[in-house]
Amino acid sequence: MEMRLAAVRRGHNMVKRDRDFVGLITQKAREFRGYDASYRGQAADTRTETALRATIAKQFPQLHNREESPRLLLEIRLP
């Protein structure tokens, strides 16, 4: 009888441990989905900015050069 109770307890502990592990994985997946949405938004913003810069460069080349020159110098100085 003692062995049966021990087996039931051990089985219960294994199920509980597995359930906790699945909960942890689910929580991490939710967290990473949030990061994914954030990074996708940043990538979309970057593409939009790049397209706007190209439009400005085409329509207003002098303005673009005045704005772009200091930016390029700053990028060269940064490691």
mmCIF file with all atom_site columns, all heavy atoms in Angstrom, residues 34-52:
data_model
loop_
_atom_site.group_PDB
_atom_site.id
_atom_site.type_symbol
_atom_site.label_atom_id
_atom_site.label_alt_id
_atom_site.label_comp_id
_atom_site.label_asym_id
_atom_site.label_entity_id
_atom_site.label_seq_id
_atom_site.pdbx_PDB_ins_code
_atom_site.Cartn_x
_atom_site.Cartn_y
_atom_site.Cartn_z
_atom_site.occupancy
_atom_site.B_iso_or_equiv
_atom_site.pdbx_formal_charge
_atom_site.auth_seq_id
_atom_site.auth_comp_id
_atom_site.auth_asym_id
_atom_site.auth_atom_id
_atom_site.pdbx_PDB_model_num
ATOM 1   N N   . GLY A 1 34 ? 5.479  40.066 -27.502 1.00 0.00 ? 34 GLY A N   1
ATOM 2   C CA  . GLY A 1 34 ? 5.501  41.517 -27.290 1.00 0.00 ? 34 GLY A CA  1
ATOM 3   C C   . GLY A 1 34 ? 6.749  42.154 -27.877 1.00 0.00 ? 34 GLY A C   1
ATOM 4   O O   . GLY A 1 34 ? 6.684  43.208 -28.519 1.00 0.00 ? 34 GLY A O   1
ATOM 5   N N   . TYR A 1 35 ? 7.908  41.518 -27.664 1.00 0.00 ? 35 TYR A N   1
ATOM 6   C CA  . TYR A 1 35 ? 9.145  42.017 -28.260 1.00 0.00 ? 35 TYR A CA  1
ATOM 7   C C   . TYR A 1 35 ? 9.054  42.008 -29.777 1.00 0.00 ? 35 TYR A C   1
ATOM 8   O O   . TYR A 1 35 ? 9.486  42.946 -30.447 1.00 0.00 ? 35 TYR A O   1
ATOM 9   C CB  . TYR A 1 35 ? 10.342 41.171 -27.831 1.00 0.00 ? 35 TYR A CB  1
ATOM 10  C CG  . TYR A 1 35 ? 10.716 41.276 -26.376 1.00 0.00 ? 35 TYR A CG  1
ATOM 11  C CD1 . TYR A 1 35 ? 11.302 40.204 -25.720 1.00 0.00 ? 35 TYR A CD1 1
ATOM 12  C CD2 . TYR A 1 35 ? 10.490 42.434 -25.644 1.00 0.00 ? 35 TYR A CD2 1
ATOM 13  C CE1 . TYR A 1 35 ? 11.659 40.280 -24.384 1.00 0.00 ? 35 TYR A CE1 1
ATOM 14  C CE2 . TYR A 1 35 ? 10.845 42.522 -24.312 1.00 0.00 ? 35 TYR A CE2 1
ATOM 15  C CZ  . TYR A 1 35 ? 11.425 41.437 -23.688 1.00 0.00 ? 35 TYR A CZ  1
ATOM 16  O OH  . TYR A 1 35 ? 11.777 41.517 -22.378 1.00 0.00 ? 35 TYR A OH  1
ATOM 17  N N   . ASP A 1 36 ? 8.493  40.945 -30.319 1.00 0.00 ? 36 ASP A N   1
ATOM 18  C CA  . ASP A 1 36 ? 8.357  40.808 -31.765 1.00 0.00 ? 36 ASP A CA  1
ATOM 19  C C   . ASP A 1 36 ? 7.528  41.953 -32.340 1.00 0.00 ? 36 ASP A C   1
ATOM 20  O O   . ASP A 1 36 ? 7.912  42.570 -33.328 1.00 0.00 ? 36 ASP A O   1
ATOM 21  C CB  . ASP A 1 36 ? 7.717  39.463 -32.106 1.00 0.00 ? 36 ASP A CB  1
ATOM 22  C CG  . ASP A 1 36 ? 7.536  39.280 -33.602 1.00 0.00 ? 36 ASP A CG  1
ATOM 23  O OD1 . ASP A 1 36 ? 8.532  39.402 -34.333 1.00 0.00 ? 36 ASP A OD1 1
ATOM 24  O OD2 . ASP A 1 36 ? 6.389  39.027 -34.027 1.00 0.00 ? 36 ASP A OD2 1
ATOM 25  N N   . ALA A 1 37 ? 6.405  42.259 -31.698 1.00 0.00 ? 37 ALA A N   1
ATOM 26  C CA  . ALA A 1 37 ? 5.548  43.345 -32.175 1.00 0.00 ? 37 ALA A CA  1
ATOM 27  C C   . ALA A 1 37 ? 6.286  44.678 -32.105 1.00 0.00 ? 37 ALA A C   1
ATOM 28  O O   . ALA A 1 37 ? 6.205  45.493 -33.030 1.00 0.00 ? 37 ALA A O   1
ATOM 29  C CB  . ALA A 1 37 ? 4.270  43.400 -31.353 1.00 0.00 ? 37 ALA A CB  1
ATOM 30  N N   . SER A 1 38 ? 7.039  44.883 -31.046 1.00 0.00 ? 38 SER A N   1
ATOM 31  C CA  . SER A 1 38 ? 7.795  46.124 -30.888 1.00 0.00 ? 38 SER A CA  1
ATOM 32  C C   . SER A 1 38 ? 8.854  46.252 -31.990 1.00 0.00 ? 38 SER A C   1
ATOM 33  O O   . SER A 1 38 ? 8.989  47.317 -32.606 1.00 0.00 ? 38 SER A O   1
ATOM 34  C CB  . SER A 1 38 ? 8.462  46.153 -29.516 1.00 0.00 ? 38 SER A CB  1
ATOM 35  O OG  . SER A 1 38 ? 9.323  47.256 -29.406 1.00 0.00 ? 38 SER A OG  1
ATOM 36  N N   . TYR A 1 39 ? 9.596  45.185 -32.235 1.00 0.00 ? 39 TYR A N   1
ATOM 37  C CA  . TYR A 1 39 ? 10.648 45.234 -33.243 1.00 0.00 ? 39 TYR A CA  1
ATOM 38  C C   . TYR A 1 39 ? 10.070 45.401 -34.644 1.00 0.00 ? 39 TYR A C   1
ATOM 39  O O   . TYR A 1 39 ? 10.639 46.100 -35.475 1.00 0.00 ? 39 TYR A O   1
ATOM 40  C CB  . TYR A 1 39 ? 11.532 43.990 -33.179 1.00 0.00 ? 39 TYR A CB  1
ATOM 41  C CG  . TYR A 1 39 ? 12.308 43.887 -31.889 1.00 0.00 ? 39 TYR A CG  1
ATOM 42  C CD1 . TYR A 1 39 ? 12.619 42.650 -31.348 1.00 0.00 ? 39 TYR A CD1 1
ATOM 43  C CD2 . TYR A 1 39 ? 12.728 45.011 -31.195 1.00 0.00 ? 39 TYR A CD2 1
ATOM 44  C CE1 . TYR A 1 39 ? 13.321 42.544 -30.156 1.00 0.00 ? 39 TYR A CE1 1
ATOM 45  C CE2 . TYR A 1 39 ? 13.436 44.910 -30.009 1.00 0.00 ? 39 TYR A CE2 1
ATOM 46  C CZ  . TYR A 1 39 ? 13.729 43.680 -29.498 1.00 0.00 ? 39 TYR A CZ  1
ATOM 47  O OH  . TYR A 1 39 ? 14.431 43.577 -28.330 1.00 0.00 ? 39 TYR A OH  1
ATOM 48  N N   . ARG A 1 40 ? 8.942  44.774 -34.898 1.00 0.00 ? 40 ARG A N   1
ATOM 49  C CA  . ARG A 1 40 ? 8.302  44.956 -36.207 1.00 0.00 ? 40 ARG A CA  1
ATOM 50  C C   . ARG A 1 40 ? 7.872  46.402 -36.393 1.00 0.00 ? 40 ARG A C   1
ATOM 51  O O   . ARG A 1 40 ? 7.991  46.963 -37.480 1.00 0.00 ? 40 ARG A O   1
ATOM 52  C CB  . ARG A 1 40 ? 7.109  44.025 -36.355 1.00 0.00 ? 40 ARG A CB  1
ATOM 53  C CG  . ARG A 1 40 ? 7.484  42.584 -36.585 1.00 0.00 ? 40 ARG A CG  1
ATOM 54  C CD  . ARG A 1 40 ? 6.230  41.707 -36.693 1.00 0.00 ? 40 ARG A CD  1
ATOM 55  N NE  . ARG A 1 40 ? 6.577  40.320 -36.702 1.00 0.00 ? 40 ARG A NE  1
ATOM 56  C CZ  . ARG A 1 40 ? 6.841  39.620 -37.810 1.00 0.00 ? 40 ARG A CZ  1
ATOM 57  N NH1 . ARG A 1 40 ? 6.779  40.203 -38.975 1.00 0.00 ? 40 ARG A NH1 1
ATOM 58  N NH2 . ARG A 1 40 ? 7.150  38.345 -37.729 1.00 0.00 ? 40 ARG A NH2 1
ATOM 59  N N   . GLY A 1 41 ? 7.370  47.022 -35.341 1.00 0.00 ? 41 GLY A N   1
ATOM 60  C CA  . GLY A 1 41 ? 6.989  48.434 -35.402 1.00 0.00 ? 41 GLY A CA  1
ATOM 61  C C   . GLY A 1 41 ? 8.195  49.317 -35.666 1.00 0.00 ? 41 GLY A C   1
ATOM 62  O O   . GLY A 1 41 ? 8.126  50.254 -36.477 1.00 0.00 ? 41 GLY A O   1
ATOM 63  N N   . GLN A 1 42 ? 9.308  49.032 -34.993 1.00 0.00 ? 42 GLN A N   1
ATOM 64  C CA  . GLN A 1 42 ? 10.529 49.809 -35.215 1.00 0.00 ? 42 GLN A CA  1
ATOM 65  C C   . GLN A 1 42 ? 11.028 49.642 -36.650 1.00 0.00 ? 42 GLN A C   1
ATOM 66  O O   . GLN A 1 42 ? 11.482 50.608 -37.272 1.00 0.00 ? 42 GLN A O   1
ATOM 67  C CB  . GLN A 1 42 ? 11.613 49.387 -34.234 1.00 0.00 ? 42 GLN A CB  1
ATOM 68  C CG  . GLN A 1 42 ? 11.337 49.801 -32.815 1.00 0.00 ? 42 GLN A CG  1
ATOM 69  C CD  . GLN A 1 42 ? 12.360 49.262 -31.837 1.00 0.00 ? 42 GLN A CD  1
ATOM 70  O OE1 . GLN A 1 42 ? 13.355 48.660 -32.232 1.00 0.00 ? 42 GLN A OE1 1
ATOM 71  N NE2 . GLN A 1 42 ? 12.114 49.460 -30.565 1.00 0.00 ? 42 GLN A NE2 1
ATOM 72  N N   . ALA A 1 43 ? 10.958 48.444 -37.173 1.00 0.00 ? 43 ALA A N   1
ATOM 73  C CA  . ALA A 1 43 ? 11.396 48.196 -38.553 1.00 0.00 ? 43 ALA A CA  1
ATOM 74  C C   . ALA A 1 43 ? 10.506 48.949 -39.544 1.00 0.00 ? 43 ALA A C   1
ATOM 75  O O   . ALA A 1 43 ? 10.997 49.529 -40.518 1.00 0.00 ? 43 ALA A O   1
ATOM 76  C CB  . ALA A 1 43 ? 11.382 46.701 -38.860 1.00 0.00 ? 43 ALA A CB  1
ATOM 77  N N   . ALA A 1 44 ? 9.204  48.968 -39.283 1.00 0.00 ? 44 ALA A N   1
ATOM 78  C CA  . ALA A 1 44 ? 8.285  49.701 -40.158 1.00 0.00 ? 44 ALA A CA  1
ATOM 79  C C   . ALA A 1 44 ? 8.586  51.195 -40.104 1.00 0.00 ? 44 ALA A C   1
ATOM 80  O O   . ALA A 1 44 ? 8.584  51.877 -41.144 1.00 0.00 ? 44 ALA A O   1
ATOM 81  C CB  . ALA A 1 44 ? 6.839  49.429 -39.753 1.00 0.00 ? 44 ALA A CB  1
ATOM 82  N N   . ASP A 1 45 ? 8.854  51.718 -38.913 1.00 0.00 ? 45 ASP A N   1
ATOM 83  C CA  . ASP A 1 45 ? 9.202  53.135 -38.780 1.00 0.00 ? 45 ASP A CA  1
ATOM 84  C C   . ASP A 1 45 ? 10.483 53.459 -39.536 1.00 0.00 ? 45 ASP A C   1
ATOM 85  O O   . ASP A 1 45 ? 10.593 54.508 -40.185 1.00 0.00 ? 45 ASP A O   1
ATOM 86  C CB  . ASP A 1 45 ? 9.363  53.517 -37.310 1.00 0.00 ? 45 ASP A CB  1
ATOM 87  C CG  . ASP A 1 45 ? 8.058  53.496 -36.550 1.00 0.00 ? 45 ASP A CG  1
ATOM 88  O OD1 . ASP A 1 45 ? 6.977  53.465 -37.191 1.00 0.00 ? 45 ASP A OD1 1
ATOM 89  O OD2 . ASP A 1 45 ? 8.099  53.511 -35.297 1.00 0.00 ? 45 ASP A OD2 1
ATOM 90  N N   . THR A 1 46 ? 11.448 52.556 -39.470 1.00 0.00 ? 46 THR A N   1
ATOM 91  C CA  . THR A 1 46 ? 12.715 52.764 -40.175 1.00 0.00 ? 46 THR A CA  1
ATOM 92  C C   . THR A 1 46 ? 12.503 52.774 -41.682 1.00 0.00 ? 46 THR A C   1
ATOM 93  O O   . THR A 1 46 ? 13.070 53.614 -42.392 1.00 0.00 ? 46 THR A O   1
ATOM 94  C CB  . THR A 1 46 ? 13.729 51.668 -39.794 1.00 0.00 ? 46 THR A CB  1
ATOM 95  O OG1 . THR A 1 46 ? 13.921 51.706 -38.379 1.00 0.00 ? 46 THR A OG1 1
ATOM 96  C CG2 . THR A 1 46 ? 15.049 51.855 -40.495 1.00 0.00 ? 46 THR A CG2 1
ATOM 97  N N   . ARG A 1 47 ? 11.688 51.855 -42.177 1.00 0.00 ? 47 ARG A N   1
ATOM 98  C CA  . ARG A 1 47 ? 11.402 51.840 -43.618 1.00 0.00 ? 47 ARG A CA  1
ATOM 99  C C   . ARG A 1 47 ? 10.692 53.116 -44.049 1.00 0.00 ? 47 ARG A C   1
ATOM 100 O O   . ARG A 1 47 ? 11.000 53.686 -45.098 1.00 0.00 ? 47 ARG A O   1
ATOM 101 C CB  . ARG A 1 47 ? 10.553 50.615 -43.975 1.00 0.00 ? 47 ARG A CB  1
ATOM 102 C CG  . ARG A 1 47 ? 11.338 49.315 -44.025 1.00 0.00 ? 47 ARG A CG  1
ATOM 103 C CD  . ARG A 1 47 ? 10.523 48.191 -44.629 1.00 0.00 ? 47 ARG A CD  1
ATOM 104 N NE  . ARG A 1 47 ? 9.362  47.858 -43.833 1.00 0.00 ? 47 ARG A NE  1
ATOM 105 C CZ  . ARG A 1 47 ? 9.350  46.997 -42.819 1.00 0.00 ? 47 ARG A CZ  1
ATOM 106 N NH1 . ARG A 1 47 ? 10.461 46.374 -42.489 1.00 0.00 ? 47 ARG A NH1 1
ATOM 107 N NH2 . ARG A 1 47 ? 8.242  46.748 -42.157 1.00 0.00 ? 47 ARG A NH2 1
ATOM 108 N N   . THR A 1 48 ? 9.752  53.599 -43.224 1.00 0.00 ? 48 THR A N   1
ATOM 109 C CA  . THR A 1 48 ? 9.032  54.834 -43.541 1.00 0.00 ? 48 THR A CA  1
ATOM 110 C C   . THR A 1 48 ? 9.998  56.010 -43.572 1.00 0.00 ? 48 THR A C   1
ATOM 111 O O   . THR A 1 48 ? 9.950  56.841 -44.492 1.00 0.00 ? 48 THR A O   1
ATOM 112 C CB  . THR A 1 48 ? 7.929  55.087 -42.495 1.00 0.00 ? 48 THR A CB  1
ATOM 113 O OG1 . THR A 1 48 ? 7.036  53.985 -42.497 1.00 0.00 ? 48 THR A OG1 1
ATOM 114 C CG2 . THR A 1 48 ? 7.164  56.357 -42.798 1.00 0.00 ? 48 THR A CG2 1
ATOM 115 N N   . GLU A 1 49 ? 10.876 56.093 -42.576 1.00 0.00 ? 49 GLU A N   1
ATOM 116 C CA  . GLU A 1 49 ? 11.844 57.195 -42.539 1.00 0.00 ? 49 GLU A CA  1
ATOM 117 C C   . GLU A 1 49 ? 12.774 57.151 -43.741 1.00 0.00 ? 49 GLU A C   1
ATOM 118 O O   . GLU A 1 49 ? 13.077 58.188 -44.343 1.00 0.00 ? 49 GLU A O   1
ATOM 119 C CB  . GLU A 1 49 ? 12.654 57.143 -41.251 1.00 0.00 ? 49 GLU A CB  1
ATOM 120 C CG  . GLU A 1 49 ? 13.630 58.299 -41.132 1.00 0.00 ? 49 GLU A CG  1
ATOM 121 C CD  . GLU A 1 49 ? 14.458 58.260 -39.868 1.00 0.00 ? 49 GLU A CD  1
ATOM 122 O OE1 . GLU A 1 49 ? 14.247 57.375 -39.024 1.00 0.00 ? 49 GLU A OE1 1
ATOM 123 O OE2 . GLU A 1 49 ? 15.337 59.129 -39.743 1.00 0.00 ? 49 GLU A OE2 1
ATOM 124 N N   . THR A 1 50 ? 13.213 55.963 -44.119 1.00 0.00 ? 50 THR A N   1
ATOM 125 C CA  . THR A 1 50 ? 14.097 55.825 -45.278 1.00 0.00 ? 50 THR A CA  1
ATOM 126 C C   . THR A 1 50 ? 13.391 56.290 -46.554 1.00 0.00 ? 50 THR A C   1
ATOM 127 O O   . THR A 1 50 ? 13.986 56.993 -47.382 1.00 0.00 ? 50 THR A O   1
ATOM 128 C CB  . THR A 1 50 ? 14.553 54.362 -45.427 1.00 0.00 ? 50 THR A CB  1
ATOM 129 O OG1 . THR A 1 50 ? 15.209 53.958 -44.225 1.00 0.00 ? 50 THR A OG1 1
ATOM 130 C CG2 . THR A 1 50 ? 15.504 54.199 -46.595 1.00 0.00 ? 50 THR A CG2 1
ATOM 131 N N   . ALA A 1 51 ? 12.136 55.923 -46.698 1.00 0.00 ? 51 ALA A N   1
ATOM 132 C CA  . ALA A 1 51 ? 11.379 56.347 -47.876 1.00 0.00 ? 51 ALA A CA  1
ATOM 133 C C   . ALA A 1 51 ? 11.193 57.866 -47.889 1.00 0.00 ? 51 ALA A C   1
ATOM 134 O O   . ALA A 1 51 ? 11.332 58.511 -48.941 1.00 0.00 ? 51 ALA A O   1
ATOM 135 C CB  . ALA A 1 51 ? 10.025 55.647 -47.899 1.00 0.00 ? 51 ALA A CB  1
ATOM 136 N N   . LEU A 1 52 ? 10.903 58.446 -46.729 1.00 0.00 ? 52 LEU A N   1
ATOM 137 C CA  . LEU A 1 52 ? 10.749 59.906 -46.658 1.00 0.00 ? 52 LEU A CA  1
ATOM 138 C C   . LEU A 1 52 ? 12.064 60.615 -46.957 1.00 0.00 ? 52 LEU A C   1
ATOM 139 O O   . LEU A 1 52 ? 12.084 61.645 -47.653 1.00 0.00 ? 52 LEU A O   1
ATOM 140 C CB  . LEU A 1 52 ? 10.230 60.316 -45.280 1.00 0.00 ? 52 LEU A CB  1
ATOM 141 C CG  . LEU A 1 52 ? 8.779  59.965 -44.989 1.00 0.00 ? 52 LEU A CG  1
ATOM 142 C CD1 . LEU A 1 52 ? 8.439  60.265 -43.538 1.00 0.00 ? 52 LEU A CD1 1
ATOM 143 C CD2 . LEU A 1 52 ? 7.846  60.728 -45.921 1.00 0.00 ? 52 LEU A CD2 1
#
